[in-house]
Amino acid sequence: LLLAGLASAATPAPAAGADPAAKKAERQAQADARFKAADGNGDGKLSAAEWSTMSQGKATAAFATIDANGDGGVTRDELQAARKQKAGQAMGAARDRLAALDANQDGAWTRDELGTDAPRLSENFATLDADGDGRLTREELRAGRDKMAGARKYPAAGGGPRLLRREVALQGVHHAIAF
C-alpha cells in the first residue's frame, strides 16, 4: 500500500471528460508532491529513516528491496520500478489463478468452472456474460473490468455491481483479465 500510495495517485479523479494525458500528468504531479513531502531533507531520495517515519515502521523490510542500487536511499525511479515489478508479479499470479479455474482450457469460464473459487464472479455471471452464452470470455471480463474501473474513478456514472468490484479487488482478477 505504501508503495502504491507514493508511486501512484489515489486522489480525487479529474472530470469524466478530461484528456487521458492530462489525467496522467495530474496523477504524476500528485505522486511527485507526496514523494517530495516524504523526502524530509530534500535530497531527492528517501533514506531508511524517512521511509520508516513515513511508513510508521510497517514497511521497513521493503526498503532494502526497493533500494535497487543499495546506496541507502530510495529514489522516485526506484519506487516506480518496484511498483511496476510488483504489479507485474500480481498480474502473473492472477492470470495463473484464473487459468487454473478454466478446467477445459478453452479460454472462457463457465459458472461451474468459477464455482466457489470466485463466488462474486459467479454471482454476477449474468451481468458479465454480455452475449448470454453461459461462458465468460476474456473480452467480457475486460469489458466488466473497464466498467468497474470507470465506476471507481467516477462513482456518479455507475458502472458495475459493488460486490463484483470488491471481488475483483480481493482476488486480483482485474489483473488477470488484462490479457
Side-chain angles (χ1 to χ4, degrees):
L1 284 173
L2 176 64
L3 184 62
L6 276 175
S8 66
T11 57
D19 173 37
K23 288 190 281 187
K24 183 177 181 178
E26 181 180 338
R27 286 191 308 269
Q28 182 67 46
Q30 292 165 344
D32 289 342
R34 282 191 304 278
F35 186 89
K36 186 176 179 181
D39 182 15
N41 64 5
D43 67 352
K45 59 185 176 181
L46 301 179
S47 67
E50 290 166 332
W51 183 271
S52 181
T53 299
M54 177 189 58
S55 68
Q56 299 172 350
K58 295 178 183 173
T60 54
F63 183 84
T65 302
I66 296 169
D67 181 16
N69 64 5
D71 68 352
V74 172
T75 65
R76 180 91 169 95
D77 290 340
E78 288 173 320
L79 196 58
Q80 285 180 328
R83 182 187 57 81
K84 286 179 183 178
Q85 179 182 15
K86 184 174 181 172
Q89 290 169 346
M91 185 180 300
R95 280 185 182 153
D96 292 347
R97 208 171 30 252
L98 199 58
L101 294 175
D102 186 11
N104 61 3
Q105 297 298 303
D106 66 348
W109 295 265
T110 64
R111 193 176 258 142
D112 288 339
E113 286 175 322
L114 295 174
T116 59
D117 292 322
R120 289 192 177 76
L121 284 176
S122 294
E123 289 170 14
N124 292 284
F125 195 92
T127 302
L128 291 168
D129 186 16
D131 61 10
D133 68 352
R135 301 167 7 135
L136 295 178
T137 63
R138 290 177 180 173
E139 292 75 23
E140 288 169 324
L141 290 174
R142 275 190 208 116
R145 177 204 59 203
D146 293 346
K147 187 174 182 181
M148 289 179 288
R152 281 191 301 273
K153 290 179 183 176
Y154 312 108
R162 181 177 180 193
L163 290 176
L164 181 58
R165 288 194 313 270
R166 185 175 296 141
E167 178 77 9
V168 168
L170 290 174
Q171 293 189 1
V173 174
H174 63 289
H175 295 297
I177 58 181
F179 292 93

